[in-house]
Amino acid sequence: PTSHTAILARGLGIPAIVAAAGATGIADGTNVAVDGTSGTVTVGVEPAANSADLPPARAARTHVDLAGLGPGHTKDGHPVSLYLNIGSIKDVRTGAQGVGLLRTEFLFLGRKDSPSRAEQHAAYLELFNAFPGARVVIRTLDAGADKPLPFLALPEEENPALGVRGLRTARLRPEVLDDQLAAIASAAAAAACEVWVMAPMVATPAEAADFAARARAHGLQHVGAMVEIPAAALRAARLLEHLDFLSIGTNDLGQYTMAADRQDGRLPDLLDPWQPALLELIALAAEAGRAAGKPVGVCGEAAADPRLAAVLVGLGVTSLSMAAAAVPAVHAELSARTLRECRELAERARDALDPAQARALVSRS
Ligand code: PEP
Ligand code: MG
């Protein structure tokens, strides 16, 4: 569920199931019902005569209207900003509170050369201007591993997820990062929104300091890092000495915490975002943010699960970012819970033995 194919499908509102063993054995022409929410595939169903027969919530998903929802908050009024994860202009929805993760890989896909500063400036400005007055958190290029980008000519690796990916690519191609930061800064200066910039795959305080210095040298004022590596969560307080905010990428933090490849469909139990070990690391990062008085959000797929969103708020995260389709349900769940309840749920989930028990303890309330 956290592979990029699944993330793209979710962003498009397409019901999808991954790792459906035996799917290739279904005979051509068989009618199949796919329920992406429950993860069930029913083979040999009668086709619905028209889309009016579909449950309305599902039919509506591709046309999410966020206008009128208002800012996210708990039942007792504790604010929790609900932002969008976007990867291109097609993901933009009006009425959103802002963007918590703008993935920039779209500009670099299928290229032989890096896009010029002018091209990047134009693309970023168009996206920034879609959110006037709001906050847009843009992430610098996250190439490598599950997002291979040929133009970087990264060396072949046995274990690309543990190799030169994310911010690490700047060790080999520093000019690519500098061009991107220059383009982000010039677009930010021309835009009518508040631009925050963050780096993917930061592991150490030294990397955080180096990225912050580079970004600030380009005039960017709000600089942060993603927490995707357990080392970053464990040392979040040290990272925050150099940064203005953190954003927890639970997709990668989950895979690195459990040493389970997020693209490996055979390990769903280990990649489950309800893993108590993952929740412990999130709590550490959130606590570091609270102590420093700096925001710590979640922008991985975990934020899109309404119950887990309440747990994340209870762990202390200050914002949640997700595909537009997930916002209404998360908004509704948080509006129905006080902050105190969220904290109680978080306690239970953290104390659970495994994801199944964590879910059961939370859903009982
Ligand atoms: C994450 O790792 O949780 C994340 C949001 O980044 P990506 O899915 O793009 O790796
Ligand atoms: Mg990631």
Side-chain angles (χ1 to χ4, degrees), residues 4 101 103 139 147 226 228 249-252 262 299-300:
H4 274 265
L101 171 61
R103 291 183 169 99
R139 179 178 75 184
K147 310 179 195 83
M226 292 193 66
E228 304 183 279
T250 48
N251 308 334
D252 277 314
R262 64 194 268 192
C299 66

Side-chain angles (χ1 to χ4, degrees), residues 10-344:
R10 197 169 294 122
L12 293 168
I14 298 172
I17 293 177
V18 292
T24 51
I26 300 170
D28 283 354
T30 311
N31 292 309
V32 174
V34 173
D35 185 338
T37 305
S38 62
T40 55
V41 179
T42 314
V43 178
V45 294
E46 286 300 314
N50 60 53
S51 61
D53 296 341
L54 292 173
R58 275 176 232 175
R61 281 208 176 176
T62 44
H63 307 286
V64 192
D65 184 6
L66 303 175
L69 268 188
H73 57 82
T74 59
K75 191 175 176 184
D76 52 338
H78 173 72
V80 184
S81 302
L82 301 181
Y83 295 128
L84 295 189
N85 286 359
I86 64 172
S88 78
I89 199 79
K90 291 192 203 110
D91 301 330
V92 170
R93 297 288 180 283
T94 50
Q97 260 188 284
V99 175
L101 171 61
L102 166 50
R103 291 183 169 99
T104 55
E105 290 77 46
F106 73 98
L107 257 181
F108 296 79
L109 289 172
R111 311 266 314 211
K112 292 212 176 71
D113 307 304
S114 177
S116 68
R117 285 189 186 189
E119 187 184 337
Q120 292 189 55
H121 169 99
Y124 301 147
L125 188 57
E126 183 187 20
L127 286 160
F128 293 163
N129 283 342
F131 298 92
R135 176 182 307 165
V136 175
V137 183
I138 181 168
R139 179 178 75 184
T140 55
L141 185 60
D142 184 21
D146 57 330
K147 310 179 195 83
L149 293 180
F151 86 89
L152 279 176
L154 299 175
E156 284 283 316
E157 302 189 59
E158 288 283 333
N159 286 311
L162 301 181
V164 181
R165 65 160 291 203
L167 180 64
R168 299 168 184 185
T169 59
R171 297 174 185 220
L172 302 180
R173 302 286 304 273
E175 76 288 359
V176 174
L177 177 60
D178 268 317
D179 279 346
Q180 188 174 29
L181 288 172
I184 292 170
S186 64
C193 69
E194 186 178 284
V195 174
W196 293 22
V197 66
M198 64 181 179
M201 292 291 293
V202 171
T204 66
E207 286 178 349
D210 178 67
F211 178 74
R214 282 173 192 243
R216 294 192 210 286
H218 285 283
L220 288 157
Q221 287 171 13
H222 307 279
V223 184
M226 292 193 66
V227 175
E228 304 183 279
I229 300 175
L234 292 166
R235 309 269 285 177
R238 297 287 179 96
L239 263 61
L240 282 171
E241 288 172 10
H242 309 284
L243 301 168
D244 305 304
F245 70 98
L246 295 174
S247 182
I248 304 172
T250 48
N251 308 334
D252 277 314
L253 188 57
Q255 84 161 341
Y256 294 121
T257 301
M258 306 308 292
D261 186 339
R262 64 194 268 192
Q263 303 199 96
D264 195 327
R266 300 165 304 176
L267 304 170
D269 53 325
L270 296 178
L271 290 164
D272 192 320
W274 286 81
Q275 279 288 354
L278 175 60
L279 301 181
E280 295 281 8
L281 288 171
I282 294 169
L284 277 180
E287 171 52 27
R290 197 199 55 74
K294 295 180 177 178
V296 176
V298 170
C299 66
E301 295 304 298
D305 170 340
R307 287 260 161 81
L308 190 49
V311 168
L312 296 173
V313 169
L315 292 175
V317 309
T318 55
S319 66
L320 300 167
S321 191
M322 63 205 79
V327 174
V330 170
H331 192 284
E333 178 76 23
L334 295 185
S335 310
R337 307 250 184 213
T338 63
L339 181 57
R340 197 191 159 130
E341 281 167 31
C342 292
R343 289 187 177 140
E344 283 167 12

